[in-house]
Amino acid sequence: MSKEARPGSGEQAKQYALEHLRQAILRGEMAPAQRLVENELAEQYGVTRASIRAALLDLASEGLVERIRNRGSRVRVVTVEEAVEITECRMALEGLCAAQAAVRATDEQLDELAELGRAMAKAVANGDPVCYSDLNHQLHTHIREFSGQQTAVGLLERLNAQLVRHRFQLALRPGRPQQSLNEHLAVIEAIRARDPQAAESAVRAHLRSVIDALRED
């Protein structure tokens, strides 16, 4: 979008700034602890400082930004221990979603999961951890959507947004994608077998493995 086409003020401008800031943080373009200077961001996105300030308040409520008294805002730093706690919460919610997906997913959706599993295996075989990390994220997103559990989906979106940096670090760790692949294939197999208990157990086993990996940092 050109600068001329950008909304300068009002709710539309806040939403524009909010989406672009959120994506910049999620993609790692803004580093943890990086200061977020309202004047600079307003100029960069072609909106008012008030729009930037409102967007930063929303991002703070999502856990992506922290506001420091008398010092403005910065990208929130998520410690390893916080990441472990978030993953423990994910364990309960993602286990629920996997169990529900095993019951509710259509045959076509089950085929989509199988295709994702094949793509993940190919990414690991090709030694492409960035592609694998993206497919990993897609798999979890599909399972949540197929579950039909909208409350859990909303909660998980907020929790997962805070883990982006840790997720990429794990994906790049030697040997981690190979281990993670087997765990994800077990989840897919259980859901495709329409076995909710096995699906929940497989997700919990995978996330316990994630917690162990986080604690190795």
Side-chain angles (χ1 to χ4, degrees):
M1 184 182 287
S2 66
K3 187 170 182 178
E4 290 73 21
R6 295 172 182 171
S9 61
E11 178 64 21
Q12 190 178 6
K14 186 201 87 167
Q15 291 299 328
Y16 176 85
L18 175 63
E19 182 59 26
H20 282 73
L21 282 166
R22 183 190 288 120
Q23 290 304 315
I25 294 171
L26 295 182
R27 288 194 299 262
E29 294 169 11
M30 294 178 171
Q34 179 176 327
R35 286 194 65 213
L36 301 170
V37 182
E38 291 176 5
N39 281 339
E40 294 176 1
L41 293 171
E43 182 176 353
Q44 178 180 344
Y45 294 123
V47 298
T48 63
R49 278 190 65 185
S51 297
I52 292 294
R53 190 176 303 116
L56 291 174
L57 284 170
D58 280 8
L59 290 171
S61 72
E62 293 177 18
L64 294 178
V65 165
E66 58 184 340
R67 297 183 65 80
I68 303 170
R69 189 172 182 180
N70 301 323
R71 294 183 62 187
S73 301
R74 71 176 187 178
V75 179
R76 194 165 87 81
V77 178
V78 177
T79 66
V80 169
E81 280 309 310
E82 284 180 289
V84 167
E85 289 184 8
I86 291 168
T87 306
E88 288 171 340
C89 293
R90 284 181 60 202
M91 194 181 291
L93 292 167
E94 299 229 24
L96 168 64
C97 287
Q100 293 287 344
V103 174
R104 296 183 177 182
T106 65
D107 290 342
E108 291 77 13
Q109 289 171 334
L110 295 180
D111 288 342
E112 287 183 52
L113 296 184
E115 183 59 35
L116 269 174
R118 287 190 287 270
M120 292 170 80
K122 183 177 179 181
V124 170
N126 291 340
D128 190 344
V130 175
C131 176
Y132 177 78
S133 180
D134 181 55
L135 291 167
N136 177 354
H137 179 66
Q138 288 183 46
L139 175 63
H140 284 276
T141 300
H142 276 55
I143 292 170
R144 292 196 297 271
E145 290 176 355
F146 298 166
S147 75
Q149 235 295 349
Q150 293 305 312
T151 300
V153 169
L155 291 168
L156 282 164
E157 284 177 353
R158 293 186 61 174
L159 290 172
N160 285 319
Q162 300 174 55
L163 295 175
V164 171
R165 179 172 64 92
H166 292 286
R167 192 181 82 225
F168 280 119
Q169 286 178 338
L170 288 183
L172 296 173
R173 183 182 298 173
R176 178 62 197 169
Q178 288 86 344
Q179 179 182 356
S180 171
L181 173 63
N182 291 330
E183 296 162 2
H184 284 109
L185 293 179
V187 173
I188 293 171
E189 181 180 353
I191 294 174
R192 283 175 53 79
R194 298 200 178 278
D195 186 335
Q197 290 184 328
E200 181 172 0
S201 295
V203 165
R204 285 179 170 271
H206 165 57
L207 292 175
R208 277 194 295 271
S209 172
V210 170
I211 288 171
D212 291 341
L214 285 168
R215 286 181 167 148
E216 290 172 9
D217 279 346

